[in-house]
Structure formats: structure tokens, C-alpha cells
Amino acid sequence: MDALVLSLVELGKMPEVWLGSHTVRSHGVKVARIHLQDWIILLLLIVIDVILNIIEPFHRFVGQGMMTDLTYPLKPNTVPVWTVPILAGILPLASFFVYYCYRKDIYDFHHAMLGLLFSLLITGVITDAIKDAVGRPRPNFFWRCFPDGNEQAFDPVSKNVICHGDAAVVKEGYKSFPSGHTSWSFAGLTYLAWYISGKLKVFDRRGHIAKLCVVLLPVLIATLVGISRVDDYWHHWTDVFAGALIGTTVAACCYLQSFPYPNDAEGWAPHAFFEMIAERKSQAAGRRANSIRKRGSTDVEAAFMPFDSEMETPASRSSQGTSLD
């Protein structure tokens, strides 16, 4: 086996021979234990994001003259909230699982999944923290504040708006910047685009532009989600732009933590996979060196065996005994 491994190393086929030998059943627990602290941090990020959604955001000053830009109609979401986790989370995870079923590489599946979850949760924490801190009114803030459209109220001293709409609806009205739909969509779908570009080897300089079209499809979906937020008057265009920037940046950082750049020769697999390959190479080379040393010592002993056996033959012993008699 060592000889086979070393010959494959010399031929440059080492990575392929190990594909399919590291599954969830054989190495899943081991890989998860190595990254146990990462999974704990993910749980902490979930708790932080829940808290950020519970607390009351900053209520930015809204004077009577400012209401002109905040009187857009309060429409239902074209892209409902429940569809965002499907697009940004379940769709990429399903893609990772399909590739795992094809390659049977737990290193790729685990690191892709871990990176995606970090991308989504880090983006969520950043987005919700900024939302609470900025407290920017949505374009449809007027109808949240005054559902009947008539009874407007402002503080006589501060001139700030006094809302009499539903408290939860008004609270959501102060969370315009940045767009959560957009940031989450770009965090998940841009991560998927990075992943696909590495697997398809888009930047292999062979001019297959069709591969690039496949990679850009998730980005297009995220872009359309962002545009829908402006069309529904839930966000200003700057909210969407900021959300896209946050999601794209975090996705790139999280992907490159585990995978090489897609234009790299080894961009099709995670760093951990090639670290495992290097370790196997080192172990195989060490075993071969020990085997050579053992064979070398055996050959030296064998070189002296004829002399020793000749001295110890029965004939020699009998001749020695005859001479003594």
C-alpha cells in the first residue's frame, strides 16, 4: 500500500485516490470535534442575533417636514421573510450535499457548510446591530405610524413624531438600514457562487464562459431580492446597496477561510483536504524510509550468513571432533 501511495504521489494523482474514502460515517465525528469551538461560536452568534431582534432600535428623529419621503404605500413583501432562509441557506446546503454524494468528501462538505453558516450568522449580526444602532425609518414609515392616514401627531416641544400605530409594526419601521433580505441573500448566494466557481474551475483559462453564467446565477437571484425591497417600498436604495456590500464581503471572507481562491490550481477542494494529503504523504514517505532501512540491515546480515553457516555446519563440527581424537 505504501508503494502504491508513493507512486501515486510521484505521478501527481494523490488527491484523487483519497476521494471517496472520507465520509460522514468514517470521519464526520473526527472533523466535527476538530472544529468544536467553531460550532460553539455559531450557537453564540445565534443567541446574539436573537437578542438584537428583541431589543428596541434607536428611534431616529422624524419631523413633520420629513414625512414627505416616508409616505410610500405599505405593501406586502414580494419575497416573504420565510423564503430568504430557503434561498440563502437551504439552497446552498442542498448543493453541498449533492456534491458530497458525488465525491464522498466530508472535508469539503463540512467546511462548506460551516463557512456558509458563519457567513449567514456573521452577516445577520452585523446587519441587525447596524439596524438597531441607526434606526433609519423605512419609506413606508408614515403608514406604520399613522395607519388611518389622518391623525398625525408630533411632540410640541421636540417636534418629533408621535406614532399611534401597532407597536411591533412601528418598531419594524425603524429598521430600514441596511436591508436584511439583501444582506442575507448575498451572504448565502454569493458564498454559493464562490463554491461553484471552485468546483467548475471557472478560471482555468480555457475560455468556457458558460461556466461563468452558472456562477453568476446565484448572484442574480440575490440582486433580484434586493431590487424587490426597493420596489416594495420597504427600503431605500442605499439600504439595499449596503446590505449587498455586507453580505458579499462576509461571504468572501468566510469562503476563503476554508477554500483556496477559485483560480488556484487547488481551488476545487478545501485547505483541510490538502493538509490531510500532505500528512498522508509524509507518513507514507516515513514508512518507506523505515522499510528501506530494515531491508538494508537485513541485506548486511545476509552477507555474513554464508560465513557463519559454513563455520557451523555439522561436517565442520565432526571434522573438528575427529582431529581431537
Side-chain angles (χ1 to χ4, degrees):
M1 180 63 182
D2 291 343
L4 173 62
V5 171
L6 286 168
S7 63
L8 289 170
V9 171
E10 293 170 357
L11 291 174
K13 298 180 179 179
M14 186 64 176
E16 296 292 337
V17 76
W18 291 112
L19 288 174
S21 61
H22 301 90
T23 63
V24 172
R25 180 175 297 181
S26 63
H27 290 75
V29 175
K30 176 184 176 182
V31 175
R33 284 179 178 174
I34 294 175
H35 294 273
L36 179 60
Q37 69 276 13
D38 295 313
W39 290 102
I40 294 175
I41 295 298
L42 279 177
L43 295 176
L44 180 61
L45 289 174
I46 293 175
V47 173
I48 294 174
D49 196 48
V50 170
I51 295 174
L52 289 173
N53 279 278
I54 293 175
I55 63 177
E56 190 72 20
F58 173 68
H59 288 202
R60 184 163 293 278
F61 176 84
V62 179
Q64 188 171 5
M66 301 171 62
M67 277 294 181
T68 305
D69 297 329
L70 305 176
T71 56
Y72 290 92
L74 180 58
K75 298 172 57 178
N77 292 306
T78 300
V79 180
V81 176
W82 58 267
T83 61
V84 176
I86 295 176
L87 292 174
I90 296 178
L91 179 60
L93 287 175
S95 303
F96 303 157
F97 181 73
V98 169
Y99 186 79
Y100 169 76
C101 292
Y102 172 66
R103 283 295 195 181
K104 294 294 188 297
D105 180 16
I106 184 59
Y107 289 96
D108 185 277
F109 182 63
H110 175 271
H111 286 74
M113 177 172 57
L114 187 66
L116 173 68
L117 294 177
F118 265 109
S119 178
L120 292 173
L121 289 173
I122 291 176
T123 297
V125 169
I126 293 175
T127 300
D128 291 331
I130 296 176
K131 279 178 177 287
D132 290 340
V134 174
R136 185 181 189 181
R138 296 183 184 272
N140 54 25
F141 181 79
F142 175 86
W143 297 102
R144 294 173 178 273
C145 194
F146 310 115
D148 52 16
N150 294 320
E151 298 180 8
Q152 300 184 32
F154 296 87
D155 187 277
V157 177
S158 67
K159 305 300 181 182
N160 193 18
V161 66
I162 301 176
C163 295
H164 55 75
D166 182 83
V169 177
V170 174
K171 174 184 176 181
E172 190 63 27
Y174 283 101
K175 293 186 175 184
S176 184
F177 183 87
S179 170
H181 273 63
T182 307
S183 63
W184 274 71
S185 297
F186 272 88
L189 293 172
T190 303
Y191 188 97
L192 177 61
W194 279 87
Y195 183 83
I196 294 175
S197 64
K199 296 299 178 285
L200 295 182
K201 300 179 180 178
V202 175
F203 304 103
D204 57 2
R205 300 182 181 181
R206 296 184 180 181
H208 298 299
I209 303 178
K211 294 181 179 180
L212 188 61
C213 295
V214 177
V215 171
L216 292 177
L217 182 59
V219 181
L220 175 61
I221 296 174
T223 302
L224 293 176
V225 171
I227 292 174
S228 73
R229 305 307 289 162
V230 179
D231 292 345
D232 292 340
Y233 306 117
W234 278 64
H235 286 284
H236 310 274
W237 73 267
T238 49
D239 306 335
V240 171
F241 181 80
L245 184 62
I246 293 171
T248 301
T249 302
V250 174
C253 293
C254 290
Y255 179 84
L256 294 176
Q257 281 291 105
S258 299
F259 292 85
Y261 281 95
N263 62 340
D264 193 281
E266 297 179 344
W268 57 273
H271 295 300
F273 178 79
F274 294 104
E275 290 174 0
M276 179 272 297
I277 294 299
E279 183 179 351
R280 292 291 182 90
K281 288 181 182 180
S282 177
Q283 293 174 354
R287 287 193 292 268
R288 183 176 181 181
N290 292 333
S291 177
I292 292 174
R293 285 196 294 269
K294 290 179 181 179
R295 286 203 302 271
S297 61
T298 303
D299 293 342
V300 172
E301 293 174 358
F304 290 94
M305 283 301 291
F307 175 79
D308 293 339
S309 59
E310 185 179 4
M311 294 294 296
E312 297 296 329
T313 57
S316 62
R317 287 197 300 268
S318 62
S319 62
Q320 289 175 359
T322 305
S323 62
L324 289 172
D325 290 336

